[in-house]
Structure formats: structure tokens, C-alpha cells
Amino acid sequence: NAGVTQTPKFRVLKTGQSMTLLCAQDMNHEYMYWYRQDPGMGLRLIHYSVGEGTTAKGEVPDGYNVSRLKKQNFLLGLESAAPSQTSVYFCASSYPAGEQYFGPGTRLTVT
Amino acid sequence: KNQVEQSPQSLIILEGKNCTLQCNYTVSPFSNLRWYKQDTGRGPVSLTIMTFSENTKSNGRYTATLDADTKQSSLHITASQLSDSASYICVVSVSSASKIIFGSGTRLSIRP
């Protein structure tokens, strides 16, 4: 099993550009999550999904959109990137109330 | 307000020594507490999970304790190894749908 994979691993964007981060999991988990991690701060939840076709806002959803068209994939979109969105983005998946398994992260820089 | 505070922020110890990391939380209602290890450039990996009724759990050289009355947890690492150099994150779950609070982590460095 590959577990949780994320693409791309690194990306540099200019302010105003858009992009989509892809998360895939092969563990048949119902729940999937997108977090961002900034220096000196804990992981903060952006959006999450409790099942195919459903999404919900987390702690810091502004500026991001998500979609869960297939159970195994969870996409995070930035419509108009801003320097404040420079961060490391982690995707995770889990069974309900279960341990979260994290992907390797995507390092995004917005200039 | 639901919060998870970890101390110290960073710690440097010599290889072979023991250390203890602290986690205090104000999360309510409490469901469970996990300790994660995050290597540089990698995603976090779960070390232990503890529920309300458990006060100690071990995973090899890692031992976690939980005092649900004082809302404190600790992670003790015995006979540290260079591979223990990482960030250790305390994560507390609220007894409601999908609410999880992450601490900001303790950065542990093991020196040879």
C-alpha cells in the first residue's frame, strides 16, 4: 500500500495564480483532511471530508476550496494565491474517530 | 477555548539520555490524546493513543502518561537515539464530530 500520497511535493506560485493540490489514499478511509503547517504553529485544519461528495470547513478555510469526487481523492484548490498561503500543506485520511495517516506534505511558496 | 500547549518548545539532549516532553490541554469534552512524531520534511506518524481511562501506554522506548484530572500528558523517551531527533506533537480529540486540536510541537534534537 502506498498509504497517503500528495502531488506535487514542491511548488512556487506568483500572487494571483491558481493551483490544485492532489491527495490520494489507498486505505479505503472515509475521512480525509487538509492541513497547513506554519513555523511555530500547530497543524491547522483547512477543510475536511467525511465521505465521497461531502466537504466541510475547518479552522482556516478562507482562500481555499476542496472537492471529494472519489473516495480515494481529496483535492485542495487555491483560486488566487496570496503570500499568506506560503506554507507546508499536509493531507491525512482516517476511519471515523481513528488514527490519521498523513501524506509527505507539499511545500508551497507564493511570491 | 479548546487549546493544547506543549513544553518545552525545543530541547537538545545527548544520545543515550532520557527526556520528558509535556502537554497540557483545556479541551472539553475529551475523547482521546495522541502523540505524533514528525521527522523533518515528513508527515506526522502516530506513536500512541490514550483514552480517558488509560494513564500510561508504551511503544518501545516511548512511554506516554495521561492525567485526565489535571489535563496533562507527558511523553518519556528512554535511552535516546539519533533517530529520535524530530518534532513531537500532542493531539487531543474532542468528543464531537471531527474536532481535533494540535499542539505546536516540541522540537527534539539528539546530539552524539
Side-chain angles (χ1 to χ4, degrees), chain A residues 6 13 16-18 23 34-35 38 41 43 49-50 53-54 59-60 71-72 74 77 82 85 88-89 96 101 103-104:
Chain A
Q6 293 181 231
L13 288 179
Q17 287 185 317
S18 63
C23 176
W34 274 107
Y35 294 92
D38 301 296
M41 300 182 73
L43 283 144
S49 168
V50 300
T54 71
E59 182 186 354
V60 288
K71 185 177 185 179
Q72 63 268 34
F74 196 28
Q85 294 178 304
V88 181
Y89 292 85
Y101 292 81

Side-chain angles (χ1 to χ4, degrees), chain A residues 8-29:
Chain A
K9 288 186 169 54
F10 302 94
R11 186 71 185 268
V12 178
L13 288 179
K14 292 188 188 319
T15 297
Q17 287 185 317
S18 63
M19 76 163 294
T20 300
L21 282 66
L22 172 63
C23 176
Q25 53 97 3
D26 61 3
M27 294 173 281
N28 203 33
H29 286 161

